[in-house]
Amino acid sequence: MLTRIDHIGIACHDLDATVEFYRATYGFEVFHTEVNEEQGVREAMLKINETSDGGASYLQLLEPTREDSAVGKWLAKNGEGVHHIAFGTADVDADSEDIRGKGVRVLYDEPRRGSMGSRITFLHPKDCHGVLTELVTSAPVESPEH
């Protein structure tokens, strides 16, 4: 069951400049950064708020590290802007299979590693009214040590 908007992915040419725009304009601060070699992106997660299911909602800023990455190709075709929307779920495997059973193409046979240790998959935009849609199961939150 989808529980929240996990994040909105925004493709950009210059991650540092885009982060600075969101910081200076809206006061959003970087919560997490990483390079995902498999997906060919450098990213920054800007936390917007906490959610009632223990997760959070973010803006995910994505800068391609290679022109042949999915985000690199998308930027070349579309320019900067909203790339995808991601919905949080407790079980990306079950929800992606349920959605596949409804005739929506799921782009990965098995979920892959996403930001901050999450498990993700994508749904084909042609089956989702033109919107690239991601399903995300967040990594377990580690208990703080006392």
Side-chain angles (χ1 to χ4, degrees):
M1 175 177 167
L2 306 181
T3 58
R4 63 189 153 82
I5 294 175
D6 184 85
H7 66 271
I8 297 172
I10 300 172
C12 61
H13 292 290
D14 183 335
L15 184 66
D16 297 327
T18 307
V19 164
E20 179 54 25
F21 168 81
Y22 281 96
R23 188 203 60 72
T25 305
Y26 306 117
F28 298 152
E29 296 295 336
V30 173
F31 179 78
H32 175 82
T33 60
E34 71 180 83
V35 174
N36 185 321
E37 295 293 345
E38 179 184 3
Q39 294 184 22
V41 294
R42 186 169 79 106
E43 66 179 76
M45 297 293 274
L46 287 62
K47 188 182 225 178
I48 307 304
N49 66 311
E50 303 288 335
T51 60
S52 62
D53 67 356
S57 292
Y58 302 90
L59 286 181
Q60 179 187 45
L61 306 179
L62 300 159
E63 174 190 62
T65 59
R66 317 183 298 267
E67 289 181 15
D68 69 339
S69 70
V71 173
K73 291 175 187 177
W74 190 91
L75 263 173
K77 181 179 177 182
N78 301 292
E80 293 184 308
V82 174
H83 179 261
H84 67 274
I85 186 167
F87 294 108
T89 172
D91 189 343
V92 68
D93 297 276
D95 283 335
S96 63
E97 285 306 310
D98 179 58
I99 290 169
R100 180 180 277 125
K102 295 175 181 174
V104 174
R105 287 174 281 179
V106 178
L107 299 183
Y108 303 153
D109 290 332
E110 296 289 327
R112 297 180 182 179
R113 183 194 171 283
S115 300
M116 301 184 292
S118 63
R119 296 186 71 240
I120 65 165
T121 196
F122 285 91
L123 310 178
H124 199 293
K126 288 185 179 177
D127 297 343
C128 300
H129 297 270
V131 178
L132 179 60
T133 304
E134 182 179 7
L135 304 179
V136 178
T137 297
S138 299
V141 177
E142 295 181 19
S143 299
E145 294 184 31
H146 300 288

